Amino acid sequence: MSDTPIVSDPTTWALDREIVLVRVYDASPRAVFAAWTEADAFCQWFGPEGYRCTVREMDVRPGG
């Protein structure tokens, strides 16, 4: 039997498995927040040019 516990909660994963992405935007904090929380704004910037973005449901609350 393995000594490694099975962890299903990603907030408790080992830091050696963590990927950190950093982006710098030339935009106001309000515009950046909208890009992550409003479906229409999200689809305007997400993905490469020509990419079709369809948001069926967006729940940006903690745990959503």
Side-chain angles (χ1 to χ4, degrees), residues 15-63:
L15 291 178
D16 65 339
R17 296 183 191 151
E18 182 176 304
I19 297 174
V20 177
L21 301 173
V22 177
R23 293 183 178 181
V24 177
Y25 296 99
D26 184 18
S28 70
R30 183 180 298 248
V32 174
F33 185 79
W36 283 102
T37 60
E38 298 173 12
D40 290 339
F42 180 80
C43 286
Q44 288 179 9
W45 74 268
F46 183 75
E49 190 170 336
Y51 178 81
R52 176 184 278 164
C53 175
T54 302
V55 176
R56 298 188 193 277
E57 183 177 340
M58 188 172 213
D59 185 354
V60 298
R61 297 174 296 169

